[in-house]
Amino acid sequence: MDTARSSPVCLDLMVGLPMVREPSPARCAGMRADADIVGSACGRAGSMTNGEAKILEAKFTEVSEENRRLTEMIGYLYANQNFARQSPEGEGEQPASTAASPTSPVGKKRSRESMDTSDSGDASSDKKMGTAEAEHVDVNSPLSNGTCRRIKVKRVCTRIDPSDTSLVVKDGYQWRKYGQKVTRDNPSPRAYFRCAFAPSCPVKKKVQRSAEDSSVVEATYEGEHNHPRPTGAGELPGCRTQDGSSVPCSISINSSVPTITLDLTKNGGGVQVVEAGEAQPDLKKVCREVASPEFRAALVEQMARELTGDRKFTDALAAAILRKLPDY
DNA sequence: CCCTTTTGACCCCCG
DNA sequence: GCGGGGGTCAAAAGG
């Protein structure tokens, strides 16, 4: 589980993306309870006293810690709800509980649905957006000949801006929306997506806001991708830290433009420029997505989340701010 | 003109 | 057999 990265902060990382230079709502996306604190730190860091800075630092650390605990708690609750729905005989015996809502009944599997599911590929590595909580459930799907095929079902909970109604969950794959429905047990609409990267890919995704917390969206993935993950499209191919969480240390865009890699995992950090790999067939789409405000917002949000979740980083940041303050 | 999204209607499973 | 409700289709609209 990767849940301890939800504290936002205004940072100007200057990694070459023009948008990062300007404060925008997206940069502070996710700021809610701690918005005033962070906003203060952003806006008047140059004029505060040492005492104020220390108070702000303490508050910031405290809020970050609380945010982390809450995120973990949400993940724990969802995990428990899913376990509770598992049948005693084992996970494979339970019919497909594919509804995104924790309270929704067992999904009705249609024969049409069970026929278009194949295997191979792997979407299970979609650990995205820092606050996501992933879970795997293998369910049996009845086939027309009476046998059962295991369909991989995965639920991912992601924190997003409550005001964002797009229900877009960046996970590295490209999705085409084919339907939206308001379900009985959740006032928020449920969006249905198909994998748009490969026409033959059977993977479907359902995205719906949590009924309890509108800032949490639950994405349910059905099936497995039968194609490689399109790199650079949506998810930040970050490095893994020791605890398995991702760090936004690289930006890999498949195009003729060199790829910028911001390596924050090494001592002192560094920016590495490497040549882009060979272009994907749908390079145009990838570039369009990378250039989109959503992608940029997600990029900045993830960077901020990852960085503020690192105690060493926040300590170093506080020390740097203190050094900049005039001595009184 | 092409691609994607929206949305009302329809299909079909389950109780 | 019937109705409710989730899931999908497909035409229209938008970019």
Side-chain angles (χ1 to χ4, degrees), chain A residues 37-299:
Chain A
I37 298 170
V38 179
S40 301
C42 288
R44 45 185 189 89
S47 60
M48 71 177 79
T49 66
N50 262 354
E52 284 176 321
K54 283 178 180 173
I55 291 171
L56 282 175
E57 181 196 348
K59 277 187 180 178
F60 180 71
T61 306
E62 185 183 330
V63 169
S64 297
E65 189 63 23
E66 186 178 350
N67 207 344
R68 186 186 63 79
R69 284 198 304 268
L70 289 172
T71 308
E72 281 178 350
M73 191 181 299
I74 289 172
Y76 180 74
L77 286 174
Y78 280 121
N80 275 353
Q81 285 170 342
N82 238 310
F83 272 121
R85 286 201 301 273
Q86 306 278 329
S87 72
E89 291 80 24
E91 61 177 16
E93 302 298 316
Q94 181 85 358
S97 177
T98 59
S101 167
T103 57
S104 60
V106 167
K108 301 173 183 175
K109 279 292 181 187
R110 303 170 60 176
S111 57
R112 187 167 52 202
E113 230 175 305
S114 62
M115 292 172 68
D116 61 0
T117 301
S118 67
D119 43 21
S120 81
D122 185 18
S124 62
S125 58
D126 291 343
K127 203 165 256 182
K128 57 159 296 298
M129 296 297 286
T131 58
E133 183 248 335
E135 182 165 333
H136 305 267
V137 181
D138 284 339
V139 297
N140 288 334
S141 169
L143 291 176
S144 53
N145 60 6
T147 62
C148 290
R149 173 183 287 170
R150 292 174 78 82
I151 297 178
K152 189 170 234 170
V153 176
K154 185 179 76 160
R155 279 184 53 198
V156 176
C157 299
T158 306
R159 290 180 88 75
I160 64 167
D161 187 347
S163 62
D164 183 8
T165 59
S166 62
L167 284 178
V168 172
V169 176
K170 299 286 184 182
D171 53 15
Y173 290 94
Q174 292 189 305
W175 302 93
R176 174 172 299 174
K177 189 176 183 181
Y178 66 89
Q180 181 166 313
K181 191 91 170 176
V182 175
T183 54
R184 220 162 56 107
D185 45 16
N186 192 332
S188 304
R190 176 183 300 168
Y192 299 89
F193 298 89
R194 279 200 188 92
C195 181
F197 185 77
S200 61
C201 182
V203 179
K204 293 172 192 169
K205 178 171 81 166
K206 287 178 282 193
V207 180
Q208 188 174 33
R209 282 184 192 277
S210 167
E212 291 82 17
D213 185 353
S214 63
S215 67
V216 174
V217 291
E218 301 172 18
T220 305
Y221 297 85
E222 287 181 39
E224 297 178 56
H225 294 276
N226 58 8
H227 56 84
R229 170 197 288 268
T231 57
E235 198 220 21
L236 307 176
C239 304
R240 296 283 159 187
T241 59
Q242 286 173 344
D243 60 355
S245 61
S246 65
V247 171
C249 61
S250 65
I251 303 164
S252 178
I253 303 168
N254 281 334
S255 70
S256 56
V257 181
T259 299
I260 299 171
T261 300
L262 174 61
D263 192 346
L264 299 175
T265 60
K266 292 175 181 152
N267 287 341
V271 176
Q272 178 189 4
V273 179
V274 298
E275 291 302 318
E278 56 187 65
Q280 297 286 325
D282 59 343
L283 177 60
K284 220 169 119 184
K285 288 180 185 173
V286 172
C287 291
R288 200 188 312 157
E289 181 164 351
V290 166
S292 70
E294 290 82 7
F295 177 86
R296 292 179 169 191
L299 170 66

